[in-house]
Amino acid sequence: MTELQITPTVASDLAALAQVVDATGLFPSEYLHPLWEEGQAEGQVWRTATEEGRPVGLAFAGLEPLTEGCWNMRALCVAPDLQGQGIGRALVRDLEVALAGKARLLLAETSGTDPFATARAFYAALGYTRVAEIPEFWAEGDAKIIFARDLR
């Protein structure tokens, strides 16, 4: 891996990030532009990981409505061919730094299904605590698993 850079996401990153989102299957990439526009209006924090000038990862978080400093990491994705190289960790840590002084708590939500076991282990390894499980949330047989980290 060459030098990795984490920077605030800009609109010109979105086309390349849509390809990353498509490759990961995190969500349909046609949602990326509306999510970006909504995020800009709501003051969300977005970060892009870039390698050799090419966006290869994305993370963003937004304030949970009606809370005092509880933010939710709405997305984290890294190009599949680059996963396991520390890019996700760098994105999360940069997001945490960007939220310093704004967030007291950062949530990360994932699926309880077997294909997401690696994601659950990832959040635990970063010091996030599994705090909740909502059965049948995403679909029948697919629970929402919620992790949290105190950022104070």
Side-chain angles (χ1 to χ4, degrees), residues 18-104:
Q19 293 177 354
V20 174
V21 168
D22 281 338
T24 63
L26 181 64
F27 55 83
S29 65
E30 63 260 19
Y31 295 154
L32 189 60
H33 279 86
L35 287 169
W36 163 258
E37 290 171 8
E38 176 183 299
Q40 298 311 291
E42 293 179 358
Q44 292 179 0
V45 175
W46 286 57
R47 291 293 183 263
T48 297
T50 307
E51 185 180 64
E52 296 180 4
R54 176 178 68 106
V56 297
L58 165 72
F60 65 93
L63 179 65
E64 282 292 323
L66 306 175
T67 69
E68 295 178 6
C70 182
W71 286 65
N72 192 323
M73 192 178 334
R74 307 255 187 243
L76 171 64
C77 64
V78 174
D81 61 319
L82 298 174
Q83 290 177 5
Q85 297 183 28
I87 297 171
R89 177 182 296 270
L91 278 163
V92 171
R93 292 301 187 223
D94 192 87
L95 193 61
E96 292 170 348
V97 168
L99 292 172
K102 295 180 185 182
R104 64 179 172 76

Side-chain angles (χ1 to χ4, degrees), residues 117-133:
T118 302
R120 294 189 301 274
F122 171 81
Y123 290 120
L126 287 179
Y128 285 71
T129 302
R130 183 176 170 153
V131 295
E133 178 175 333

